[in-house]
Amino acid sequence: MKALLPNGRGRFFGVTFLSAIAAGALIGVPAVASAAPLDVLESAASVMPLATAGQVAVGAADAASCLAEISPHLVRLTGSDEDPVTNPVLLVHGWLSTAMPESEAGPRPVTTSTGIANSPFSRPVEWSSDGDPAVDLRSLQERLSELPDTSVFAFDYSSMAALWVGHTATAPALAGAIECLAQESGDTVDIVAHSMGGLALRYALGGSNEGVTSHVGQVITVATPNEGSEVASAVSVLGDATESLFSSASVLAQIALPAVVGICNREMESDARVGCDIPPSVRTVFAVAGDGGQALRAGSVELSSVPEWPSSVKVHAIAGDYRIHLTAGLVPPELFTALRDAARVFGLDVRPVLDEEIEAGDGIVEVSSATADADSSFIARCDVTVDLTTTEGSATFGDLTERFGGIPPLAGPCAHDRLFENDDVARDIVATLGASRG
């Protein structure tokens, strides 16, 4: 696997954003050491029942019993338990997320205090890539349920979603879920995986689980960081840079504040649904300091060990592609236009002080990382222009916040956690699955 090297594209916007959230949670950034081996072993041991369940499903002679064996990690989203399984589609969520709807997402309701995202597959569609409101508001889950003779399931590993998928029982359990659905239906299983869920699937189809590959149909990955995340790398760099701050801080700050981060990460590594009772943005910064976040850095050792896609599996990758055009001038726009036209008479090209297009990916994962090693791809491109001249910049940002509930690339139709709310993405997934079934 190729390592993603920094190329500067989108770095300005990404680091600016990261600096903002890190400033509010600076105490968490220096504690960037990944979980100690003992912590990883204890975390893995705590989820071994999930692995056992998956292994029972793989070896079960009675096909009717395998669904019960791996419940509740395999959740049926359409029909009832008595209905036959036909043309199964399996949805796999990502990091710090869950496949469950909000009311069932964990030991406490999903609120802004827990910070874990409810099922991205069940959220209503809001926009098209151009930012216009969508006409068809049905969620991806609803649209998939309307495919002919299709049973939709979700694989939920939310209790382990703060850990690196290569260190947990997620992969063997996912392999067991795939084989169980194939066993129940007598057909191959189509899979839609979001973010780190795509990496979990690569583990599930590789190594000792290679036999599961024959049960897999079409694979669709959405925003999967195959070559890592520049955002995770930037947070780590910020963490290293701020360690010196603690060398001059009080003894209490040096001991107590990093300890808070360690306690929170241990809590999330035990069960990511708990949430540490802190705001989501701070929680995410803390989590980047943990096992899963460190492994998601571009060029990490863990990423280099992720299995390649089996040659027999066809992978269709979907990526968000924010192109943010920033402009600003020293003079009012109407005066600049006159100066530019006059300069052209002499063959001169007068440009604003700032005229730059930032390729920001989906705000978390670059397009090249999301589409790496795929057989085909769909790029959801969103073009945003921000004129920073005089007061227009603040007006533009205000408009974007009102439309998208935040500022791109971390909000709106091409943002990492909002791609399933993009009508173009939902349509592409349904069309790809339909085409793969003939």
Side-chain angles (χ1 to χ4, degrees):
M1 174 179 293
K2 302 182 293 296
L4 181 63
L5 299 176
N7 57 17
R9 295 182 299 175
R11 180 61 59 85
F12 168 81
F13 198 97
V15 172
T16 299
F17 165 74
L18 286 166
S19 300
I21 62 172
L26 197 58
I27 61 172
V29 180
V32 295
S34 60
L38 180 59
D39 295 330
V40 172
L41 290 175
E42 290 174 348
S43 299
S46 69
V47 296
M48 281 309 291
L50 178 56
T52 303
Q55 290 162 0
V56 170
V58 170
D62 183 2
S65 69
C66 73
L67 291 177
E69 291 285 352
I70 57 179
S71 177
H73 307 291
L74 184 62
V75 183
R76 186 162 193 160
L77 301 177
T78 58
S80 65
D81 293 340
E82 293 74 28
D83 292 337
V85 178
T86 57
N87 293 314
V89 175
L90 182 62
L91 309 177
V92 185
H93 65 82
W95 192 51
L96 296 180
S97 185
T98 174
M100 306 296 283
E102 184 167 333
S103 62
E104 304 174 32
R108 62 185 73 164
V110 174
T111 65
T112 55
S113 67
T114 66
I116 193 166
N118 65 320
S119 171
F121 312 108
S122 63
R123 298 174 192 163
V125 169
E126 291 194 39
W127 314 281
S128 57
S129 295
D130 59 13
D132 291 336
V135 176
D136 186 352
L137 303 182
R138 293 173 305 150
S139 68
L140 174 67
Q141 182 176 312
E142 291 175 304
R143 299 184 193 199
L144 293 177
S145 68
E146 295 178 2
L147 290 173
D149 299 319
T150 297
S151 301
V152 183
F153 289 80
F155 177 77
D156 189 86
Y157 64 101
S158 54
S159 64
M160 298 175 286
L163 291 164
W164 175 242
V165 288
H167 289 170
T168 70
T170 300
L174 178 55
I178 294 169
E179 187 154 12
C180 175
L181 290 177
Q183 192 170 279
E184 282 276 282
S185 65
D187 204 345
T188 56
V189 182
D190 294 327
I191 304 170
V192 180
H194 181 228
S195 192
M196 195 167 72
L199 300 180
L201 181 59
R202 290 175 69 150
Y203 273 108
L205 302 183
S208 60
N209 303 317
E210 287 181 350
V212 181
T213 301
S214 61
H215 301 302
V216 175
Q218 178 67 56
V219 168
I220 300 176
T221 62
V222 181
T224 290
N226 295 286
E227 295 180 336
S229 166
E230 289 288 354
V231 170
S233 299
V235 168
S236 296
V237 170
L238 286 173
D240 295 338
T242 56
E243 283 185 352
S244 60
L245 295 179
F246 277 80
S247 63
S248 59
S250 68
V251 173
L252 178 63
Q254 292 184 51
I255 297 175
L257 299 183
V260 172
V261 182
I263 292 171
C264 180
N265 269 324
R266 282 185 174 82
E267 187 175 331
M268 286 190 289
E269 288 167 359
S270 174
D271 189 340
R273 299 168 298 182
V274 174
C276 298
D277 290 321
I278 56 178
S281 60
V282 180
R283 181 180 189 270
T284 301
V285 173
F286 282 16
V288 168
D291 178 54
Q294 292 292 289
L296 287 172
R297 293 174 299 170
S300 72
V301 174
E302 290 86 351
L303 277 171
S304 66
S305 65
V306 175
E308 299 289 343
W309 290 112
S311 58
S312 60
V313 173
K314 299 303 178 185
V315 178
H316 179 70
I318 296 176
D321 183 17
Y322 260 121
R323 302 293 179 94
I324 302 175
H325 187 202
L326 298 178
T327 64
L330 288 174
V331 296
E334 60 275 10
L335 179 57
F336 171 76
T337 300
L339 290 173
R340 181 189 60 193
D341 293 343
R344 283 177 176 171
V345 174
F346 300 97
L348 301 176
D349 182 17
V350 177
R351 304 181 66 185
V353 173
L354 176 65
D355 185 5
E356 181 178 359
E357 183 179 77
I358 298 170
E359 299 178 21
D362 63 20
I364 301 294
V365 179
E366 290 190 341
V367 172
S368 58
S369 181
T371 58
D373 306 319
D375 298 289
S376 60
S377 63
F378 173 75
I379 312 299
R381 178 165 173 173
C382 298
D383 292 288
V384 176
T385 299
V386 178
D387 188 346
L388 301 177
T389 303
T390 62
T391 61
E392 294 182 26
S394 60
T396 304
F397 278 115
D399 176 62
L400 290 173
T401 301
E402 183 176 350
R403 289 169 63 195
F404 300 142
I407 298 176
L410 298 169
C414 288
H416 184 82
D417 288 325
R418 310 297 295 274
L419 281 168
F420 292 105
E421 298 167 60
N422 184 324
D423 185 56
D424 298 328
V425 170
R427 288 178 182 274
D428 181 73
I429 292 173
V430 173
T432 300
L433 292 181
S436 70
R437 297 178 178 188

